[in-house]
Amino acid sequence: MATYWDPFQEMDRLFSTFAGNARQSGGMPMDLFRTGDHYVLSMDLPGVDPGTIDVSVEDRTLTIRAERTQRSDGEAQWLVRERPTGTFARQLTVGRGLALDSISASYADGVLSLTIPVSEDAKPRKVEVSHTSGATSIGQGASESRQTIES
């Protein structure tokens, strides 16, 4: 039986394999944006069991872990296996000014969403300027102080 071998197709397959592994090493693509007085982080975790998702904060490091298990019969013969399995983790160093003790999390449709509020100390605030009700002119104040000194 004769087979046709295309070296360019083979190189493309090998490159895709290596590029795919590099792309999958992140495994947890995310979006992060600020709206109002909180940040929203959305992370794609399709096929992850919600019971394996762990979100923790230690010092200024936010860690997100999740696990995707392999679902197959023991006697399966794989033809293509591109979906990564195992434990995925991602760590983010967050800046000051966030209320890390008030993070809320939800998981729906394969997307983990974290809401991270800005701390009260970091919120912009207006400082009131007080002023006295009795305005004096510069000349009056100077003559009054002279009189006090002379007497």
Side-chain angles (χ1 to χ4, degrees):
M1 171 184 223
T3 59
Y4 175 74
W5 182 70
D6 181 1
F8 295 105
Q9 185 179 14
E10 186 64 20
M11 286 176 52
D12 185 46
R13 186 188 66 79
L14 287 172
F15 179 74
S16 295
T17 302
F18 291 124
N21 288 343
R23 187 177 63 240
Q24 292 171 0
S25 65
M28 301 170 79
M30 71 172 195
D31 292 333
L32 177 65
F33 61 92
R34 181 175 179 168
T35 179
D37 61 351
H38 61 277
Y39 290 88
V40 176
L41 184 145
S42 299
M43 185 170 290
D44 289 346
L45 298 173
V48 169
D49 177 17
T52 65
I53 298 173
D54 179 45
V55 178
S56 62
V57 177
E58 183 177 338
D59 193 23
R60 308 301 309 161
T61 303
L62 174 68
T63 303
I64 302 167
R65 282 186 184 17
E67 185 176 349
R68 183 183 303 135
T69 56
Q70 179 180 2
R71 295 181 180 138
S72 70
D73 297 332
E75 297 185 23
Q77 285 186 319
W78 290 97
L79 302 175
V80 177
R81 190 173 189 180
E82 296 177 346
R83 297 178 58 213
T85 58
T87 301
F88 302 92
R90 187 142 186 197
Q91 290 187 319
L92 304 166
T93 302
V94 295
R96 306 242 180 249
L98 299 177
L100 297 178
D101 55 342
S102 300
I103 295 175
S104 62
S106 64
Y107 180 72
D109 299 328
V111 178
L112 173 67
S113 295
L114 302 179
T115 302
I116 309 166
V118 175
S119 69
E120 290 297 321
D121 294 339
K123 288 182 183 177
R125 57 194 163 275
K126 186 171 176 111
V127 176
E128 291 293 326
V129 178
S130 63
H131 60 286
T132 59
S133 60
T136 59
S137 67
I138 296 174
Q140 285 179 340
S143 64
E144 290 174 4
S145 62
R146 233 181 315 193
Q147 289 175 356
T148 310
I149 295 173
E150 294 173 353
S151 36

